[in-house]
Amino acid sequence: MKVLSVASEVYPLIKTGGLADVAGALPAALAAHGVDMQVLLPGYKSVMAKLVNPVRMMEFDNLFGTKAMIMAYRMDGVQYLVLDAPELFDRDGGPYTDISGADHPDNWRRFAALCRAAASIVEEGLDGWVPDVVHAHDWQAGLVPAYLQQGPAAATPSVMTVHNIAFQGQFSADIFAELGLPTSVFTVDGIEYYGDVSYLKGGLQLASAITTVSPTYAQEIRTPEFGMGLEGLINARAANLHGIVNGIDTTVWDPASDPMIEANYSEGKLKKRQPNRRALAARFGLTEQDGPIFTVVSRLTWQKGMDVLAEVANDIVAMGGQIAVLGSGDPELEDALLAAAQRHPGHIGVIIGYDEPLSHLMQAGGDALLVPSRFEPCGLTQLYGLRYGNVPVVARTGGLADTIIDANEAASAARVATGFQFSPVTPDALRETVRRAVRAHSDRKAWARLQNQGMNADVSWDRSAARYAALYADLVVSGTNT
Ligand code: ADP
């Protein structure tokens, strides 16, 4: 089974969030299930700089007005296909924004080019490698099904995965004429969305199957509260909708061998976490004390409930907790958290920025991980928290609801609890749950049990990779929507 995966970010070549981790982990996870997956991604400046002796596979004389190439690059057993189009991708800033944080004005063109290139790979093959299925991730890959359906490989099935339905890739209708698609596609049954063009909507409409990254989120996006306007379409396609929870790359995220942390340890050997805790406290200027260190590794946005965290920060300190925050995002939320740190030196530390190694240390050294998200398609940090003994304290939504077992009386007695859940996402609910966690932490034996139970939870890709493999197989066999 040959599958072309198409994503705008793929770890370890480029990452801004969970999508990169997932797109990066899938090829190895699926190889174990007989799937030969290659990953197509844009050749951003920072990506091109990482490629050593890439091989030229395909050339485009005119891909949206520019010359482009597909370069193949093999690393650690994964074949990356990089779309090298300097006019579109050789820029400073992030994958989607310039250095000032503003969206690139031609994002519609940049990602349409990625989708068009994906369709060409399916149509022409690469050195005899012809995908049986195309797997498109998020809006940046949303036009893949549309391009496919218009060409000679229209029979090739496609899967559209929603990692976050809040990001839809919606652009003015003016761009349609430049997409190279027939006007028949600019309809309510295609990529038209309230008079605009929507890449995600088009993908959801035209893909053979839709998946999202947890069973609970698959249900949530059928409702107006979470569907962000696409709930009607999602409901209409419910028979083709699958919720498959993300796993994590257990070789990258393994406390027993992680080179980015201070001291390696494993389940049952929790004392060995101590050097990590000390290093974490030092990095964030936290004084040594008995109460739990609550860690946050997150985009600092409304979605992630960071305003709610800022509101209860004083109370968490009053309860004897400390807080270490690593993240960046909304300037107002950054300021609110920095102000909390200024009010409580030694008890709250905030580092604004993106720091992959530090994110590992925070999981290895923290006592508890706070994830107060208003919605969370899957969430990965709580899975890292489980694996590292950093007990997750999470909102009961989306993948957080699916992956954490609340330490209520029954679950604690049955020794299956792995963290704490709360709902709704309000200061009161968060405060009370943190209080519960602080109290639980004071019983060190019970806390260690909680940590060990989390570390024993299966957060690997095994089961979910099998589900993707089965879905691909179904699509190929049936040739129809699954
Ligand atoms: P999302 O994709 O919505 O941002 P996820 O929990 O699915 O949320 O994935 C976030 C990923 O990004 C995790 O791997 C997390 O460790 C990482 N991450 C988030 N913020 C930072 C940061 N400031 N520095 C390093 N890693 C970060």
Side-chain angles (χ1 to χ4, degrees):
M1 173 76 64
K2 295 184 284 300
V3 178
L4 176 66
S5 175
V6 186
S8 57
E9 46 184 283
V10 183
Y11 183 84
L13 292 176
I14 175 82
K15 168 172 168 179
T16 71
L19 167 63
D21 286 347
V22 174
L26 277 177
L30 282 160
H33 297 271
V35 174
D36 171 14
M37 177 178 272
Q38 303 195 11
V39 197
L40 175 69
L41 74 156
Y44 308 112
K45 193 175 190 170
S46 63
V47 168
M48 295 310 296
K50 288 185 185 132
L51 308 186
V52 183
N53 300 324
V55 181
R56 183 180 299 199
M57 303 295 284
M58 187 183 268
E59 293 189 21
F60 301 87
D61 283 339
N62 182 355
L63 183 67
F64 288 88
T66 180
K67 277 193 184 322
M69 274 182 290
I70 306 257
M71 310 293 281
Y73 173 61
R74 210 170 176 80
M75 184 175 56
D76 296 337
V78 179
Q79 176 94 336
Y80 301 95
L81 304 171
V82 179
L83 179 60
D84 181 16
E87 214 174 292
L88 300 175
F89 300 119
D90 183 12
R91 311 178 177 177
D92 293 329
Y96 319 114
T97 55
D98 62 22
I99 22 181
S100 78
D103 281 349
H104 293 300
D106 58 347
N107 273 346
W108 66 270
R109 186 195 303 274
R110 301 168 76 227
F111 295 107
L114 180 72
C115 297
R116 182 54 256 172
S120 298
I121 292 172
V122 182
E123 287 158 3
E124 295 168 37
L126 285 180
D127 245 358
W129 188 85
V130 182
D132 301 301
V133 175
V134 193
H135 189 159
H137 299 273
D138 274 354
W139 74 262
Q140 293 89 352
L143 292 186
V144 170
Y147 284 122
L148 261 190
Q149 282 185 5
Q150 297 306 317
T156 303
S158 53
V159 176
M160 181 80 232
T161 293
V162 184
H163 295 264
N164 191 336
I165 209 162
F167 304 117
Q168 301 185 352
Q170 192 170 342
F171 304 101
S172 143
D174 305 345
I175 67 149
F176 182 78
E178 298 198 52
L179 293 179
L181 288 164
T183 47
S184 58
V185 180
F186 189 62
T187 65
V188 69
D189 297 325
I191 69 173
E192 188 266 344
Y193 184 63
Y194 294 108
D196 283 346
V197 169
S198 167
Y199 286 25
L200 182 65
K201 186 263 178 177
L204 294 172
Q205 188 81 50
L206 300 173
S208 317
I210 300 170
T211 74
T212 189
V213 288
S214 69
T216 294
Y217 193 61
Q219 290 306 317
E220 287 172 343
I221 57 175
R222 299 177 64 177
T223 67
E225 190 187 348
F226 293 94
M228 308 270 170
L230 290 172
E231 59 276 7
L233 163 53
I234 298 281
N235 271 313
R237 297 219 57 198
N240 309 117
L241 171 67
H242 309 261
I244 304 178
V245 74
N246 287 332
I248 65 172
D249 188 328
T250 49
T251 57
V252 175
W253 293 90
D254 180 2
S257 61
D258 190 334
M260 297 185 231
I261 64 179
E262 195 69 20
N264 292 118
Y265 61 97
S266 50
E267 179 254 326
K269 301 271 186 333
L270 293 173
K271 281 214 172 70
K272 293 196 174 163
R273 289 183 94 241
Q274 279 306 324
N276 297 307
R277 194 177 191 275
R278 278 196 296 275
L280 170 68
R283 281 292 288 274
F284 284 87
L286 305 178
T287 52
E288 223 171 295
Q289 66 173 47
D290 283 345
I293 300 179
F294 290 93
T295 50
V296 176
V297 182
S298 182
R299 291 186 286 115
L300 304 181
T301 62
W302 181 87
Q303 178 204 334
K304 300 288 182 180
M306 288 298 120
D307 51 324
V308 180
L309 172 67
E311 255 191 71
V312 298
N314 290 348
D315 301 326
I316 295 176
V317 172
M319 290 175 213
Q322 292 174 305
I323 308 174
V325 180
L326 168 65
S328 63
D330 185 338
E332 266 178 41
L333 295 174
E334 290 180 356
D335 288 347
L337 291 165
L338 285 168
Q342 268 192 343
R343 286 196 303 273
H344 300 283
H347 297 280
I348 300 181
V350 174
I351 295 180
I352 301 295
Y354 189 91
D355 187 334
E356 189 77 25
L358 181 56
S359 75
H360 285 239
L361 179 66
M362 293 179 74
Q363 299 286 10
D367 297 303
L369 178 82
L370 284 179
V371 193
S373 304
R374 287 193 168 85
F375 63 95
E376 194 59 80
C378 180
L380 292 174
T381 57
Q382 85 278 12
L383 302 180
Y384 303 139
L386 286 177
R387 185 139 165 86
Y388 280 66
N390 190 24
V391 177
V393 178
V394 305
R396 188 181 297 115
T397 185
L400 301 172
D402 291 332
T403 56
I404 302 301
I405 301 175
D406 182 72
N408 56 38
E409 233 173 275
S412 299
R415 305 208 165 177
V416 295
T418 56
F420 298 86
Q421 290 193 344
F422 66 94
S423 169
V425 178
T426 58
D428 280 350
L430 175 59
R431 191 181 299 111
E432 287 323 304
T433 306
V434 166
R435 200 184 305 283
R436 219 154 48 95
V438 171
R439 209 176 300 132
H441 181 260
S442 65
D443 178 348
R444 291 309 159 88
K445 249 179 133 171
W447 189 263
R449 202 158 51 230
L450 200 54
Q451 289 176 294
N452 284 323
Q453 281 158 197
M455 293 180 81
N456 274 321
D458 181 8
V459 290
S460 77
W461 268 106
D462 288 350
R463 259 181 300 173
S464 295
R467 288 200 58 197
Y468 279 118
L471 175 62
Y472 302 148
D474 277 358
L475 289 171
V476 168
V477 170
S478 68
T480 54
N481 293 350
T482 295

